[in-house]
Amino acid sequence: MLILVLVGGWLVARTRFFRQFYFVGGNPRAAQLSGIRVDRLILIGFIIMGALAGIAGVLGAARLNSAVVNAGVGIELKVITATVLGGASLKGGEGTILGGILGVLFIALIENAMIINAVGVFWQGLVVGLVLLFAVSLDRFNAGRG
């Protein structure tokens, strides 16, 4: 994972092709008018994410010694919270890979602290939701200032 994060961060920071994803995420119409083939880039993005999800699935199955059909069900709230905490904007066009990883680590830290303190599962979801509300409010506040 560390190698994937470092290579991905380098590609996004240093290559024209991967920087185009920011432009498409920020404003697809403007990206298209500037000569970026938006449909092709979105397709390539889905292919890359599908391949990475496949690798994650194979590694998860290898770790558990079985394939679990419902692995990852209900994790959407945590993923959105981690990405917004990591600096990604809900409007698109912002964020870094390192920020996403730090967001994931922060959510994992919160969940581990709640498990250690014997907080119920219901309350854990509520706390993650409150963190998401705080992060989105902060994102909207920063968007209004800039």
mmCIF file of all heavy atoms in Angstrom, residues 76-123:
data_model
loop_
_atom_site.group_PDB
_atom_site.id
_atom_site.type_symbol
_atom_site.label_atom_id
_atom_site.label_comp_id
_atom_site.label_asym_id
_atom_site.label_seq_id
_atom_site.Cartn_x
_atom_site.Cartn_y
_atom_site.Cartn_z
ATOM 1 N N GLU A 76 -19.628 3.060 3.124
ATOM 2 C CA GLU A 76 -19.651 4.276 2.321
ATOM 3 C C GLU A 76 -19.512 5.533 3.170
ATOM 4 O O GLU A 76 -18.794 6.470 2.795
ATOM 5 C CB GLU A 76 -20.954 4.358 1.509
ATOM 6 C CG GLU A 76 -21.161 3.231 0.531
ATOM 7 C CD GLU A 76 -21.837 2.014 1.144
ATOM 8 O OE1 GLU A 76 -22.212 2.053 2.334
ATOM 9 O OE2 GLU A 76 -21.979 1.008 0.432
ATOM 10 N N LEU A 77 -20.188 5.569 4.310
ATOM 11 C CA LEU A 77 -20.118 6.735 5.190
ATOM 12 C C LEU A 77 -18.681 6.972 5.642
ATOM 13 O O LEU A 77 -18.204 8.110 5.647
ATOM 14 C CB LEU A 77 -21.032 6.545 6.401
ATOM 15 C CG LEU A 77 -21.003 7.651 7.450
ATOM 16 C CD1 LEU A 77 -21.632 8.918 6.879
ATOM 17 C CD2 LEU A 77 -21.734 7.213 8.699
ATOM 18 N N LYS A 78 -17.982 5.916 6.005
ATOM 19 C CA LYS A 78 -16.598 6.049 6.453
ATOM 20 C C LYS A 78 -15.699 6.527 5.325
ATOM 21 O O LYS A 78 -14.791 7.339 5.536
ATOM 22 C CB LYS A 78 -16.086 4.712 6.987
ATOM 23 C CG LYS A 78 -16.789 4.255 8.229
ATOM 24 C CD LYS A 78 -16.301 2.879 8.631
ATOM 25 C CE LYS A 78 -17.175 2.303 9.715
ATOM 26 N NZ LYS A 78 -16.822 0.930 10.034
ATOM 27 N N VAL A 79 -15.935 6.038 4.110
ATOM 28 C CA VAL A 79 -15.108 6.426 2.958
ATOM 29 C C VAL A 79 -15.297 7.909 2.644
ATOM 30 O O VAL A 79 -14.327 8.642 2.447
ATOM 31 C CB VAL A 79 -15.448 5.556 1.727
ATOM 32 C CG1 VAL A 79 -14.773 6.090 0.483
ATOM 33 C CG2 VAL A 79 -15.048 4.112 1.970
ATOM 34 N N ILE A 80 -16.535 8.362 2.608
ATOM 35 C CA ILE A 80 -16.803 9.776 2.325
ATOM 36 C C ILE A 80 -16.206 10.645 3.421
ATOM 37 O O ILE A 80 -15.581 11.677 3.142
ATOM 38 C CB ILE A 80 -18.318 10.021 2.172
ATOM 39 C CG1 ILE A 80 -18.839 9.304 0.924
ATOM 40 C CG2 ILE A 80 -18.622 11.508 2.091
ATOM 41 C CD1 ILE A 80 -20.348 9.264 0.815
ATOM 42 N N THR A 81 -16.374 10.240 4.672
ATOM 43 C CA THR A 81 -15.824 11.002 5.788
ATOM 44 C C THR A 81 -14.306 11.095 5.691
ATOM 45 O O THR A 81 -13.731 12.169 5.861
ATOM 46 C CB THR A 81 -16.227 10.365 7.128
ATOM 47 O OG1 THR A 81 -17.645 10.256 7.184
ATOM 48 C CG2 THR A 81 -15.737 11.191 8.295
ATOM 49 N N ALA A 82 -13.657 9.975 5.403
ATOM 50 C CA ALA A 82 -12.190 9.961 5.308
ATOM 51 C C ALA A 82 -11.692 10.842 4.172
ATOM 52 O O ALA A 82 -10.705 11.573 4.324
ATOM 53 C CB ALA A 82 -11.689 8.528 5.127
ATOM 54 N N THR A 83 -12.369 10.810 3.021
ATOM 55 C CA THR A 83 -11.899 11.623 1.904
ATOM 56 C C THR A 83 -12.098 13.105 2.162
ATOM 57 O O THR A 83 -11.224 13.916 1.835
ATOM 58 C CB THR A 83 -12.595 11.225 0.591
ATOM 59 O OG1 THR A 83 -14.009 11.274 0.766
ATOM 60 C CG2 THR A 83 -12.193 9.848 0.146
ATOM 61 N N VAL A 84 -13.225 13.478 2.772
ATOM 62 C CA VAL A 84 -13.453 14.892 3.069
ATOM 63 C C VAL A 84 -12.479 15.361 4.145
ATOM 64 O O VAL A 84 -11.924 16.455 4.066
ATOM 65 C CB VAL A 84 -14.920 15.146 3.469
ATOM 66 C CG1 VAL A 84 -15.120 16.561 3.967
ATOM 67 C CG2 VAL A 84 -15.839 14.873 2.291
ATOM 68 N N LEU A 85 -12.241 14.533 5.165
ATOM 69 C CA LEU A 85 -11.258 14.881 6.185
ATOM 70 C C LEU A 85 -9.858 15.003 5.587
ATOM 71 O O LEU A 85 -9.050 15.805 6.043
ATOM 72 C CB LEU A 85 -11.228 13.821 7.291
ATOM 73 C CG LEU A 85 -12.307 13.898 8.343
ATOM 74 C CD1 LEU A 85 -12.218 12.721 9.279
ATOM 75 C CD2 LEU A 85 -12.210 15.192 9.116
ATOM 76 N N GLY A 86 -9.586 14.214 4.559
ATOM 77 C CA GLY A 86 -8.277 14.240 3.910
ATOM 78 C C GLY A 86 -8.068 15.417 2.979
ATOM 79 O O GLY A 86 -6.998 15.570 2.398
ATOM 80 N N GLY A 87 -9.084 16.260 2.814
ATOM 81 C CA GLY A 87 -8.898 17.452 2.011
ATOM 82 C C GLY A 87 -9.605 17.442 0.673
ATOM 83 O O GLY A 87 -9.532 18.424 -0.067
ATOM 84 N N ALA A 88 -10.280 16.355 0.329
ATOM 85 C CA ALA A 88 -11.019 16.326 -0.933
ATOM 86 C C ALA A 88 -12.298 17.140 -0.781
ATOM 87 O O ALA A 88 -12.935 17.127 0.270
ATOM 88 C CB ALA A 88 -11.350 14.888 -1.325
ATOM 89 N N SER A 89 -12.652 17.851 -1.828
ATOM 90 C CA SER A 89 -13.867 18.647 -1.802
ATOM 91 C C SER A 89 -15.014 17.836 -2.392
ATOM 92 O O SER A 89 -14.815 17.065 -3.335
ATOM 93 C CB SER A 89 -13.674 19.924 -2.619
ATOM 94 O OG SER A 89 -14.883 20.629 -2.729
ATOM 95 N N LEU A 90 -16.197 18.014 -1.851
ATOM 96 C CA LEU A 90 -17.358 17.325 -2.401
ATOM 97 C C LEU A 90 -17.723 17.866 -3.782
ATOM 98 O O LEU A 90 -18.429 17.212 -4.535
ATOM 99 C CB LEU A 90 -18.546 17.456 -1.448
ATOM 100 C CG LEU A 90 -18.413 16.698 -0.133
ATOM 101 C CD1 LEU A 90 -19.611 16.976 0.759
ATOM 102 C CD2 LEU A 90 -18.276 15.216 -0.374
ATOM 103 N N LYS A 91 -17.260 19.056 -4.115
ATOM 104 C CA LYS A 91 -17.505 19.626 -5.435
ATOM 105 C C LYS A 91 -16.522 19.094 -6.475
ATOM 106 O O LYS A 91 -16.731 19.280 -7.657
ATOM 107 C CB LYS A 91 -17.422 21.145 -5.375
ATOM 108 C CG LYS A 91 -18.548 21.766 -4.575
ATOM 109 C CD LYS A 91 -18.391 23.250 -4.533
ATOM 110 C CE LYS A 91 -19.475 23.858 -5.390
ATOM 111 N NZ LYS A 91 -19.421 25.319 -5.386
ATOM 112 N N GLY A 92 -15.430 18.461 -6.032
ATOM 113 C CA GLY A 92 -14.458 17.885 -6.948
ATOM 114 C C GLY A 92 -13.295 18.812 -7.218
ATOM 115 O O GLY A 92 -13.312 20.002 -6.910
ATOM 116 N N GLY A 93 -12.244 18.237 -7.812
ATOM 117 C CA GLY A 93 -11.099 19.015 -8.242
ATOM 118 C C GLY A 93 -10.068 19.312 -7.177
ATOM 119 O O GLY A 93 -9.112 20.022 -7.435
ATOM 120 N N GLU A 94 -10.223 18.783 -5.978
ATOM 121 C CA GLU A 94 -9.285 19.044 -4.889
ATOM 122 C C GLU A 94 -8.972 17.757 -4.157
ATOM 123 O O GLU A 94 -9.737 16.810 -4.197
ATOM 124 C CB GLU A 94 -9.873 20.044 -3.881
ATOM 125 C CG GLU A 94 -10.117 21.416 -4.428
ATOM 126 C CD GLU A 94 -10.712 22.339 -3.378
ATOM 127 O OE1 GLU A 94 -10.560 22.043 -2.179
ATOM 128 O OE2 GLU A 94 -11.322 23.333 -3.770
ATOM 129 N N GLY A 95 -7.850 17.753 -3.460
ATOM 130 C CA GLY A 95 -7.479 16.617 -2.634
ATOM 131 C C GLY A 95 -6.186 15.983 -3.081
ATOM 132 O O GLY A 95 -5.714 16.221 -4.193
ATOM 133 N N THR A 96 -5.620 15.185 -2.193
ATOM 134 C CA THR A 96 -4.388 14.457 -2.498
ATOM 135 C C THR A 96 -4.527 13.017 -2.023
ATOM 136 O O THR A 96 -5.386 12.706 -1.188
ATOM 137 C CB THR A 96 -3.170 15.090 -1.784
ATOM 138 O OG1 THR A 96 -3.369 15.017 -0.372
ATOM 139 C CG2 THR A 96 -2.964 16.546 -2.205
ATOM 140 N N ILE A 97 -3.680 12.183 -2.542
ATOM 141 C CA ILE A 97 -3.668 10.786 -2.114
ATOM 142 C C ILE A 97 -3.223 10.692 -0.662
ATOM 143 O O ILE A 97 -3.824 9.968 0.140
ATOM 144 C CB ILE A 97 -2.774 9.945 -3.044
ATOM 145 C CG1 ILE A 97 -3.399 9.896 -4.441
ATOM 146 C CG2 ILE A 97 -2.564 8.549 -2.484
ATOM 147 C CD1 ILE A 97 -2.552 9.213 -5.479
ATOM 148 N N LEU A 98 -2.199 11.445 -0.300
ATOM 149 C CA LEU A 98 -1.720 11.434 1.083
ATOM 150 C C LEU A 98 -2.810 11.918 2.036
ATOM 151 O O LEU A 98 -3.004 11.360 3.120
ATOM 152 C CB LEU A 98 -0.471 12.303 1.221
ATOM 153 C CG LEU A 98 0.123 12.384 2.620
ATOM 154 C CD1 LEU A 98 0.546 11.002 3.103
ATOM 155 C CD2 LEU A 98 1.287 13.342 2.651
ATOM 156 N N GLY A 99 -3.557 12.941 1.641
ATOM 157 C CA GLY A 99 -4.656 13.426 2.467
ATOM 158 C C GLY A 99 -5.713 12.357 2.673
ATOM 159 O O GLY A 99 -6.255 12.202 3.767
ATOM 160 N N GLY A 100 -6.026 11.602 1.621
ATOM 161 C CA GLY A 100 -6.988 10.514 1.739
ATOM 162 C C GLY A 100 -6.524 9.448 2.716
ATOM 163 O O GLY A 100 -7.306 8.954 3.541
ATOM 164 N N ILE A 101 -5.242 9.103 2.632
ATOM 165 C CA ILE A 101 -4.680 8.106 3.556
ATOM 166 C C ILE A 101 -4.737 8.622 4.995
ATOM 167 O O ILE A 101 -5.097 7.886 5.918
ATOM 168 C CB ILE A 101 -3.230 7.753 3.161
ATOM 169 C CG1 ILE A 101 -3.201 7.062 1.800
ATOM 170 C CG2 ILE A 101 -2.542 6.900 4.215
ATOM 171 C CD1 ILE A 101 -3.938 5.741 1.757
ATOM 172 N N LEU A 102 -4.411 9.895 5.192
ATOM 173 C CA LEU A 102 -4.480 10.465 6.544
ATOM 174 C C LEU A 102 -5.911 10.492 7.064
ATOM 175 O O LEU A 102 -6.154 10.270 8.254
ATOM 176 C CB LEU A 102 -3.867 11.863 6.558
ATOM 177 C CG LEU A 102 -2.357 11.922 6.332
ATOM 178 C CD1 LEU A 102 -1.886 13.371 6.255
ATOM 179 C CD2 LEU A 102 -1.615 11.161 7.402
ATOM 180 N N GLY A 103 -6.874 10.756 6.182
ATOM 181 C CA GLY A 103 -8.277 10.706 6.576
ATOM 182 C C GLY A 103 -8.697 9.314 7.010
ATOM 183 O O GLY A 103 -9.397 9.141 8.009
ATOM 184 N N VAL A 104 -8.265 8.304 6.270
ATOM 185 C CA VAL A 104 -8.567 6.913 6.626
ATOM 186 C C VAL A 104 -7.943 6.565 7.981
ATOM 187 O O VAL A 104 -8.587 5.936 8.831
ATOM 188 C CB VAL A 104 -8.070 5.948 5.526
ATOM 189 C CG1 VAL A 104 -8.097 4.510 5.999
ATOM 190 C CG2 VAL A 104 -8.893 6.115 4.266
ATOM 191 N N LEU A 105 -6.696 6.976 8.182
ATOM 192 C CA LEU A 105 -6.033 6.690 9.454
ATOM 193 C C LEU A 105 -6.749 7.389 10.615
ATOM 194 O O LEU A 105 -6.883 6.820 11.702
ATOM 195 C CB LEU A 105 -4.564 7.109 9.396
ATOM 196 C CG LEU A 105 -3.682 6.266 8.482
ATOM 197 C CD1 LEU A 105 -2.271 6.846 8.426
ATOM 198 C CD2 LEU A 105 -3.651 4.821 8.936
ATOM 199 N N PHE A 106 -7.241 8.605 10.390
ATOM 200 C CA PHE A 106 -7.956 9.318 11.444
ATOM 201 C C PHE A 106 -9.262 8.621 11.804
ATOM 202 O O PHE A 106 -9.591 8.464 12.985
ATOM 203 C CB PHE A 106 -8.215 10.772 11.017
ATOM 204 C CG PHE A 106 -8.876 11.592 12.075
ATOM 205 C CD1 PHE A 106 -8.167 11.999 13.194
ATOM 206 C CD2 PHE A 106 -10.207 11.954 11.962
ATOM 207 C CE1 PHE A 106 -8.783 12.756 14.177
ATOM 208 C CE2 PHE A 106 -10.834 12.700 12.932
ATOM 209 C CZ PHE A 106 -10.114 13.109 14.051
ATOM 210 N N ILE A 107 -10.013 8.178 10.795
ATOM 211 C CA ILE A 107 -11.267 7.454 11.056
ATOM 212 C C ILE A 107 -10.969 6.138 11.782
ATOM 213 O O ILE A 107 -11.682 5.761 12.722
ATOM 214 C CB ILE A 107 -12.039 7.203 9.743
ATOM 215 C CG1 ILE A 107 -12.532 8.520 9.163
ATOM 216 C CG2 ILE A 107 -13.212 6.252 9.965
ATOM 217 C CD1 ILE A 107 -13.510 9.263 10.037
ATOM 218 N N ALA A 108 -9.914 5.441 11.365
ATOM 219 C CA ALA A 108 -9.536 4.192 12.044
ATOM 220 C C ALA A 108 -9.151 4.463 13.494
ATOM 221 O O ALA A 108 -9.491 3.677 14.389
ATOM 222 C CB ALA A 108 -8.388 3.521 11.298
ATOM 223 N N LEU A 109 -8.463 5.571 13.739
ATOM 224 C CA LEU A 109 -8.083 5.940 15.104
ATOM 225 C C LEU A 109 -9.319 6.202 15.964
ATOM 226 O O LEU A 109 -9.412 5.725 17.101
ATOM 227 C CB LEU A 109 -7.190 7.180 15.066
ATOM 228 C CG LEU A 109 -6.742 7.727 16.409
ATOM 229 C CD1 LEU A 109 -5.704 6.798 17.019
ATOM 230 C CD2 LEU A 109 -6.180 9.122 16.251
ATOM 231 N N ILE A 110 -10.276 6.929 15.412
ATOM 232 C CA ILE A 110 -11.514 7.201 16.150
ATOM 233 C C ILE A 110 -12.251 5.899 16.452
ATOM 234 O O ILE A 110 -12.710 5.673 17.582
ATOM 235 C CB ILE A 110 -12.419 8.169 15.353
ATOM 236 C CG1 ILE A 110 -11.818 9.562 15.331
ATOM 237 C CG2 ILE A 110 -13.825 8.216 15.941
ATOM 238 C CD1 ILE A 110 -12.563 10.521 14.433
ATOM 239 N N GLU A 111 -12.372 5.027 15.445
ATOM 240 C CA GLU A 111 -13.078 3.760 15.660
ATOM 241 C C GLU A 111 -12.367 2.882 16.674
ATOM 242 O O GLU A 111 -13.011 2.264 17.523
ATOM 243 C CB GLU A 111 -13.232 3.018 14.335
ATOM 244 C CG GLU A 111 -14.260 3.652 13.434
ATOM 245 C CD GLU A 111 -14.500 2.839 12.188
ATOM 246 O OE1 GLU A 111 -13.606 2.091 11.765
ATOM 247 O OE2 GLU A 111 -15.610 2.944 11.645
ATOM 248 N N ASN A 112 -11.042 2.806 16.611
ATOM 249 C CA ASN A 112 -10.299 1.999 17.581
ATOM 250 C C ASN A 112 -10.459 2.551 18.996
ATOM 251 O O ASN A 112 -10.601 1.784 19.950
ATOM 252 C CB ASN A 112 -8.825 1.924 17.200
ATOM 253 C CG ASN A 112 -8.580 0.957 16.074
ATOM 254 O OD1 ASN A 112 -9.364 0.049 15.841
ATOM 255 N ND2 ASN A 112 -7.497 1.148 15.352
ATOM 256 N N ALA A 113 -10.438 3.868 19.119
ATOM 257 C CA ALA A 113 -10.629 4.467 20.450
ATOM 258 C C ALA A 113 -12.010 4.145 20.996
ATOM 259 O O ALA A 113 -12.162 3.860 22.196
ATOM 260 C CB ALA A 113 -10.426 5.980 20.367
ATOM 261 N N MET A 114 -13.020 4.160 20.131
ATOM 262 C CA MET A 114 -14.377 3.837 20.604
ATOM 263 C C MET A 114 -14.492 2.360 20.967
ATOM 264 O O MET A 114 -15.180 2.002 21.934
ATOM 265 C CB MET A 114 -15.405 4.225 19.542
ATOM 266 C CG MET A 114 -15.597 5.724 19.432
ATOM 267 S SD MET A 114 -16.972 6.214 18.389
ATOM 268 C CE MET A 114 -16.362 5.790 16.774
ATOM 269 N N ILE A 115 -13.833 1.475 20.215
ATOM 270 C CA ILE A 115 -13.867 0.048 20.539
ATOM 271 C C ILE A 115 -13.173 -0.202 21.869
ATOM 272 O O ILE A 115 -13.673 -0.952 22.718
ATOM 273 C CB ILE A 115 -13.223 -0.773 19.402
ATOM 274 C CG1 ILE A 115 -14.122 -0.745 18.176
ATOM 275 C CG2 ILE A 115 -12.955 -2.205 19.854
ATOM 276 C CD1 ILE A 115 -13.485 -1.314 16.923
ATOM 277 N N ILE A 116 -12.036 0.436 22.082
ATOM 278 C CA ILE A 116 -11.303 0.266 23.340
ATOM 279 C C ILE A 116 -12.135 0.752 24.522
ATOM 280 O O ILE A 116 -12.119 0.164 25.600
ATOM 281 C CB ILE A 116 -9.943 1.001 23.278
ATOM 282 C CG1 ILE A 116 -9.012 0.253 22.324
ATOM 283 C CG2 ILE A 116 -9.315 1.134 24.650
ATOM 284 C CD1 ILE A 116 -7.734 0.990 22.003
ATOM 285 N N ASN A 117 -12.904 1.813 24.319
ATOM 286 C CA ASN A 117 -13.741 2.362 25.389
ATOM 287 C C ASN A 117 -15.127 1.735 25.441
ATOM 288 O O ASN A 117 -16.016 2.251 26.122
ATOM 289 C CB ASN A 117 -13.856 3.886 25.233
ATOM 290 C CG ASN A 117 -12.562 4.570 25.543
ATOM 291 O OD1 ASN A 117 -11.895 4.236 26.509
ATOM 292 N ND2 ASN A 117 -12.179 5.521 24.700
ATOM 293 N N ALA A 118 -15.330 0.637 24.721
ATOM 294 C CA ALA A 118 -16.574 -0.142 24.742
ATOM 295 C C ALA A 118 -17.799 0.680 24.337
ATOM 296 O O ALA A 118 -18.879 0.532 24.899
ATOM 297 C CB ALA A 118 -16.781 -0.796 26.105
ATOM 298 N N VAL A 119 -17.624 1.538 23.344
ATOM 299 C CA VAL A 119 -18.748 2.306 22.809
ATOM 300 C C VAL A 119 -19.535 1.385 21.879
ATOM 301 O O VAL A 119 -18.955 0.638 21.089
ATOM 302 C CB VAL A 119 -18.238 3.553 22.053
ATOM 303 C CG1 VAL A 119 -19.380 4.310 21.401
ATOM 304 C CG2 VAL A 119 -17.464 4.461 22.999
ATOM 305 N N GLY A 120 -20.851 1.430 21.946
ATOM 306 C CA GLY A 120 -21.698 0.565 21.140
ATOM 307 C C GLY A 120 -21.571 0.845 19.646
ATOM 308 O O GLY A 120 -21.198 1.942 19.233
ATOM 309 N N VAL A 121 -21.922 -0.149 18.846
ATOM 310 C CA VAL A 121 -21.801 -0.039 17.396
ATOM 311 C C VAL A 121 -22.678 1.085 16.858
ATOM 312 O O VAL A 121 -22.278 1.821 15.953
ATOM 313 C CB VAL A 121 -22.170 -1.390 16.732
ATOM 314 C CG1 VAL A 121 -22.149 -1.268 15.222
ATOM 315 C CG2 VAL A 121 -21.222 -2.479 17.194
ATOM 316 N N PHE A 122 -23.882 1.235 17.402
ATOM 317 C CA PHE A 122 -24.772 2.310 16.974
ATOM 318 C C PHE A 122 -24.118 3.668 17.173
ATOM 319 O O PHE A 122 -24.162 4.532 16.307
ATOM 320 C CB PHE A 122 -26.096 2.243 17.744
ATOM 321 C CG PHE A 122 -26.959 3.449 17.530
ATOM 322 C CD1 PHE A 122 -27.682 3.607 16.357
ATOM 323 C CD2 PHE A 122 -27.028 4.443 18.491
ATOM 324 C CE1 PHE A 122 -28.467 4.725 16.144
ATOM 325 C CE2 PHE A 122 -27.813 5.565 18.304
ATOM 326 C CZ PHE A 122 -28.537 5.705 17.122
ATOM 327 N N TRP A 123 -23.514 3.867 18.316
ATOM 328 C CA TRP A 123 -22.890 5.149 18.626
ATOM 329 C C TRP A 123 -21.654 5.387 17.777
ATOM 330 O O TRP A 123 -21.319 6.539 17.482
ATOM 331 C CB TRP A 123 -22.562 5.226 20.116
ATOM 332 C CG TRP A 123 -23.797 5.210 20.955
ATOM 333 C CD1 TRP A 123 -24.262 4.181 21.711
ATOM 334 C CD2 TRP A 123 -24.748 6.268 21.083
ATOM 335 N NE1 TRP A 123 -25.453 4.523 22.311
ATOM 336 C CE2 TRP A 123 -25.770 5.812 21.937
ATOM 337 C CE3 TRP A 123 -24.852 7.549 20.559
ATOM 338 C CZ2 TRP A 123 -26.852 6.596 22.282
ATOM 339 C CZ3 TRP A 123 -25.939 8.326 20.912
ATOM 340 C CH2 TRP A 123 -26.922 7.851 21.750
#
